[in-house]
Amino acid sequence: MQRKGFTIWHTGLPAAGKSTIAQGVAARLREQGLNVEVLDGDVVRTNLSKGLGFSKQDRDTNIRRIAFVCHLLTRNGVVAIAAAVSPYREIRDEARELIGDFVEVFVDAPLEVCEARDPKGLYAQARAGAIKMFTGIDDPYEAPPHPEVTCRTAEETPEQSVARVMRRLGELGYVGLGSEAVAGERVTTGLVPPHGGKLVSRLVPVEERAERLRQAQTLPQVHLSSRELSDLVMIGMGAFSPLAGFLGEADYRASMKDLHLTDGTLWPIPITLAPADPTARSIAEGTQVALVDGESGEIRGTMLVQEKFTYDKRAEAQHVFRTEDEKHPGVAKVYAQGEICLGGPVEVLSEGQWPQRFPEYGRPAEVRRIFEKRGWRTVAAFQTRNPLHRSHEYLTKVALEICDGLFIHPLVGKLKRGDIPPEVRMRCYRVLLDGYYPADRVVLKAYPMEMRYAGPREAILHAIIRQNFGCSHMCVGRDHAGVGNYYGPFEAQEIFDRIPPGELELQPLKFEQVSWCYGCQAVVSAKTCPHDESQRLEISGTKLREMLAAGERPPPEFTRPEVLEVLLEYYASVERKP
């Protein structure tokens, strides 16, 4: 399969270090076996743009020519690397729009540093008046507000700058992490590709966050609910790839009604921002805003508001949840939203307390690296919001018989009342994995999403997320992501049969209802057990929670003793609270 091309566009003042970084990145990419072409500004001026001057019109023409060549190379699977001053923001944005797969590298060096370097003596000539319209002297340089990478060449070596660019390319999914894979490549690492072809990370690099936070403090603020906040982090880490932000109106309606975005990408649940406060009405399209944790007041990200639109909450509830009943927890959250949706790309400045709170917290790019290091090609994911009981253990061990590895992936976002706190559940997972699973074949990672309890549609969303993490399969049992009696017990399995081939790389592992059979003395399903229901003990997370909350000690057939001890300790502590 032909590899996917992309363009790396280096921009900055003359003598900032663009060409040096570009050549270093090119060498690193060629080492990975990629086809690379470098379009250096000086070389282009000599061969492609000879005769052009330095007026704004001529500069724009020069950049359009470079962009067009990059566009041709990119669409033919080549990595195009441009190194040109390209001082005007508007023409760079035009290049991004033309090319599509575009990584902007801002080579940031103070003017005085560039003048001190001045290998060609151009700044001195400009100061003397011998060169007119020289960028940084008598013609402006418009720095990119949100580049994918910023290299501060006055503070770091060329090698460090090259490493920074390569790391970001890996985070964005353009090159593999520790491998030669390119986004869209189906063969090199053996892992399934991310949904949509590449991981779309919107996390601002750590070293840039302090300055970006300072800038964000001057922006209008939009307060996010806990669900919107968890969605923001999911977008930031790349778990919602290929989304780069909250949906605009056309994608919102397409996802709600047809389970697809307007470009045809499978996407079953709208990811929206509808602030409950009146802020949204006062924000104009084209405004940059700060995204704020509605509880703590912490700025967690920024967003370019490209669209504002109204929507029908009941229509969304009916399409997504198949009910307008406000007792449904997902429907209740939709009804609690504001009346106006804001759509546009985001950048995430903070993942909040999750990375510190949970040692197992993991992002897609990092988890893929773990799978690759272990040599796994097929990985089965297990989505959970409960402690693992004996039925879960049965399902996951069947999956281990099929796949190279198992990915236990509990969500630790806000759940509904009565659910067991995530810290307690994480302890349960650890003691179970320590005693009953082969350590080299299981990975445990937590992720911050909130449940919507959307049944079949949420099962598809869970599958997309796991594909982004590198999983080829996902366990889908009875009543996956359901709540109450809103969905049939196996609708979450049946919906996968309606997805056209090629729209989702991950495959479901469908499981029947499983129980403990006293006749078999084992966990069984209807496919494996000859005994009637009188000999079977139904095992479920709901029933386990009900027994523990009522002070009953579940029988040993329910869960392993080590897990039970953790749960009993937790429920005893709840009872002791006044």
Side-chain angles (χ1 to χ4, degrees):
M1 178 178 178
Q2 178 174 294
R3 287 174 163 176
K4 185 179 180 64
F6 56 95
T7 290
I8 309 171
W9 192 283
H10 298 74
T11 176
L13 288 169
K18 300 180 295 299
S19 297
T20 301
I21 298 172
Q23 293 295 344
V25 171
R28 291 284 300 277
L29 292 174
R30 289 183 180 119
E31 289 173 1
Q32 295 192 15
L34 304 184
N35 293 321
V36 181
E37 291 292 343
V38 178
L39 287 87
D40 184 85
D42 290 341
V43 177
V44 170
R45 280 274 179 180
T46 302
N47 295 281
L48 188 64
S49 297
K50 191 172 183 179
L52 290 179
F54 292 90
S55 67
K56 185 178 188 306
Q57 182 178 356
D58 281 357
R59 288 180 185 272
D60 286 350
T61 298
N62 180 51
I63 296 306
R64 286 193 177 99
R65 291 177 181 179
I66 297 174
F68 182 69
V69 175
C70 289
H71 166 62
L72 295 178
L73 293 169
T74 294
R75 76 179 187 183
N76 283 282
V78 177
V79 180
I81 300 181
V85 174
S86 45
Y88 308 125
R89 189 178 304 163
E90 184 178 5
I91 197 68
R92 292 196 307 266
D93 290 344
E94 183 181 312
R96 181 187 291 271
E97 183 69 22
L98 172 67
I99 296 165
D101 286 288
F102 185 95
V103 179
E104 189 171 38
V105 178
F106 176 30
V107 184
D108 184 10
L111 177 61
E112 58 271 20
V113 172
C114 295
E115 285 199 71
R117 291 172 179 166
D118 201 13
K120 303 173 186 175
L122 299 179
Y123 280 101
Q125 295 179 55
R127 292 287 188 191
I131 300 177
K132 302 295 184 183
M133 298 291 290
F134 190 80
T135 303
I137 303 300
D138 56 354
D139 198 58
Y141 176 78
E142 299 173 354
H146 303 296
E148 279 74 16
V149 190
T150 298
C151 297
R152 294 184 171 87
T153 56
E155 303 169 10
E156 58 192 31
T157 66
E159 292 77 16
Q160 290 172 323
S161 295
V162 169
R164 184 184 305 283
V165 175
M166 292 301 298
R167 184 174 72 245
R168 189 61 172 151
L169 292 176
E171 292 170 350
L172 294 170
Y174 284 110
V175 299
L177 294 159
S179 73
E180 295 183 2
V182 174
E185 178 73 37
R186 298 292 203 270
V187 183
T188 310
T189 69
L191 294 177
V192 296
H195 189 55
K198 67 179 181 180
L199 288 177
V200 179
S201 171
R202 305 297 292 181
L203 289 175
V204 173
V206 174
E207 62 273 12
E208 298 178 23
R209 291 181 187 177
E211 175 61 21
R212 298 288 286 278
L213 178 60
R214 186 190 65 76
Q215 297 171 1
Q217 289 170 345
T218 66
L219 301 175
Q221 294 191 349
V222 173
H223 291 80
L224 277 62
S225 68
S226 61
R227 195 212 69 205
E228 292 165 339
L229 198 61
S230 70
D231 286 348
L232 175 68
V233 178
M234 293 290 284
I235 294 168
M237 66 161 59
F240 277 173
S241 295
L243 300 192
F246 292 102
L247 297 187
E249 183 172 9
D251 280 331
Y252 164 80
R253 301 196 184 286
S255 172
M256 178 181 67
K257 295 180 180 179
D258 302 322
L259 287 82
H260 291 78
L261 303 177
T262 52
D263 65 2
T265 301
L266 178 68
W267 199 269
I269 296 178
I271 306 299
T272 57
L273 172 57
D277 60 38
T279 310
R281 295 190 180 279
S282 63
I283 294 173
E285 292 181 351
T287 301
Q288 192 82 16
V289 299
L291 302 176
V292 177
D293 182 335
E295 294 182 2
S296 71
E298 177 193 2
I299 295 175
R300 300 286 293 277
T302 61
M303 174 180 175
L304 175 61
V305 180
Q306 292 180 332
E307 293 187 51
K308 291 174 58 175
F309 60 95
T310 57
Y311 66 112
D312 185 332
K313 295 181 182 180
R314 293 197 173 273
E316 180 176 334
Q318 188 60 52
H319 278 288
V320 175
F321 302 102
R322 296 223 313 273
T323 179
E324 298 177 24
D325 184 1
E326 62 186 17
K327 294 179 181 178
H328 185 295
V331 172
K333 288 183 180 180
V334 171
Y335 289 171
Q337 295 173 170
E339 306 302 318
I340 297 175
C341 287
L342 305 178
V346 303
E347 292 198 307
V348 179
L349 297 170
S350 169
E351 294 171 279
Q353 38 78 29
W354 281 301
Q356 293 75 36
R357 187 175 166 190
F358 300 101
E360 293 87 357
Y361 183 83
R363 305 171 187 91
E366 298 164 351
V367 172
R368 282 177 166 266
R369 187 185 297 124
I370 293 171
F371 295 167
E372 291 173 2
K373 187 174 181 180
R374 295 192 181 192
W376 293 354
R377 297 174 63 87
T378 56
V379 186
F382 187 76
Q383 150 77 29
T384 179
R385 61 182 176 89
N386 289 304
L388 299 190
H389 48 62
R390 293 295 290 272
S391 293
H392 295 148
E393 186 179 335
Y394 173 86
L395 302 185
T396 54
K397 288 185 174 177
V398 169
L400 263 179
E401 294 286 356
I402 298 170
C403 296
D404 297 333
L406 174 67
F407 185 41
I408 304 291
H409 203 203
L411 51 77
V412 293
K414 191 174 182 179
L415 300 173
K416 59 183 175 62
R417 180 176 298 178
D419 282 338
I420 295 170
E423 285 85 358
V424 177
R425 288 188 284 114
M426 294 304 294
R427 287 180 59 200
C428 292
Y429 305 139
R430 293 181 198 120
V431 298
L432 184 66
L433 295 182
D434 286 346
Y436 299 95
Y437 287 78
D440 62 340
R441 297 197 59 216
V442 183
V443 170
L444 169 66
K445 292 292 179 182
Y447 76 115
M449 196 175 84
E450 272 192 29
M451 286 288 293
R452 285 170 164 81
Y453 305 98
R457 284 192 181 226
E458 190 155 4
I460 298 298
L461 182 60
H462 288 168
I464 289 171
I465 293 167
R466 276 34 184 247
Q467 182 178 324
N468 284 329
F469 275 87
C471 298
S472 58
H473 297 77
M474 184 179 77
C475 299
V476 184
R478 183 182 184 276
D479 198 28
H480 186 106
V483 62
N485 297 311
Y486 293 99
Y487 315 106
F490 295 104
E491 283 193 67
Q493 296 181 2
E494 295 161 0
I495 194 171
F496 284 90
D497 297 333
R498 301 197 293 273
I499 297 174
E503 291 195 2
L504 184 68
E505 295 285 341
L506 179 144
Q507 298 298 312
L509 295 175
K510 301 177 182 179
F511 290 95
E512 298 278 344
Q513 172 70 27
V514 296
S515 311
W516 176 271
C517 175
Y518 290 100
C520 294
Q521 284 294 296
V523 178
V524 299
S525 74
K527 292 182 176 180
T528 61
C529 175
H531 303 102
D532 60 38
E533 293 185 2
S534 65
Q535 301 228 41
R536 297 178 191 165
L537 173 67
E538 181 184 345
I539 305 173
S540 73
T542 300
K543 193 167 183 179
L544 178 62
R545 291 194 305 271
E546 290 173 350
M547 294 177 72
L548 291 165
E552 299 179 33
R553 186 182 182 91
E557 295 82 9
F558 250 83
T559 191
R560 297 290 186 177
E562 296 89 342
V563 175
L564 187 56
E565 288 305 315
V566 174
L567 294 174
L568 288 172
E569 179 185 332
Y570 162 69
Y571 278 95
S573 70
V574 172
E575 290 178 3
R576 287 194 296 268
K577 291 181 180 178

